[in-house]
Amino acid sequence: MTVPEPPAVGAYAKDARNGRIGEVMGRVGGRVQLRPVGGGREWDVPPGELGEAEPADVLRERVRRLNRDARLRAQIESP
C-alpha cells in the first residue's frame, strides 16, 4: 500500500482522525504539520490520515475564528 503524497505547504487539509482543518506548514519525521486556520499551535498528522479540506470547510473555520475573537474583544472592552 502506498501513502498518497501530502498536500503542498500552504494548502489546507483535514485531519481525518478528528475533523480539524489546518494549513500545511511542513513535514517533519514522516508526519505533516498542520496549523489551525487563523493561527495557533501546530499539530502532527500521519500522511495517511490527511483528507481534503473543502473550501467551504476552510471558510467556516475562518468565520468561527473571527467570531470567537470578536466575542473575546467584546468581553475585554465591556465595563
Side-chain angles (χ1 to χ4, degrees), residues 46-64:
E49 297 292 334
L50 286 175
E52 184 177 345
E54 299 293 329
D57 295 332
V58 176
L59 178 60
R60 189 176 303 111
E61 287 299 317
R62 286 181 176 161
V63 170
R64 184 177 293 140

Side-chain angles (χ1 to χ4, degrees), residues 3-66:
V3 176
E5 182 67 25
V9 172
Y12 291 97
K14 182 183 276 191
D15 185 341
R17 300 172 300 176
N18 55 22
R20 290 176 69 189
I21 305 291
E23 182 179 357
V24 177
M25 302 308 295
R27 297 173 191 90
V28 175
R31 293 180 170 255
V32 177
Q33 293 184 313
L34 296 182
R35 176 178 290 161
V37 176
R41 188 176 183 151
E42 296 174 4
W43 76 98
D44 294 336
V45 183
E49 297 292 334
L50 286 175
E52 184 177 345
E54 299 293 329
D57 295 332
V58 176
L59 178 60
R60 189 176 303 111
E61 287 299 317
R62 286 181 176 161
V63 170
R64 184 177 293 140
R65 175 77 180 233
L66 289 171

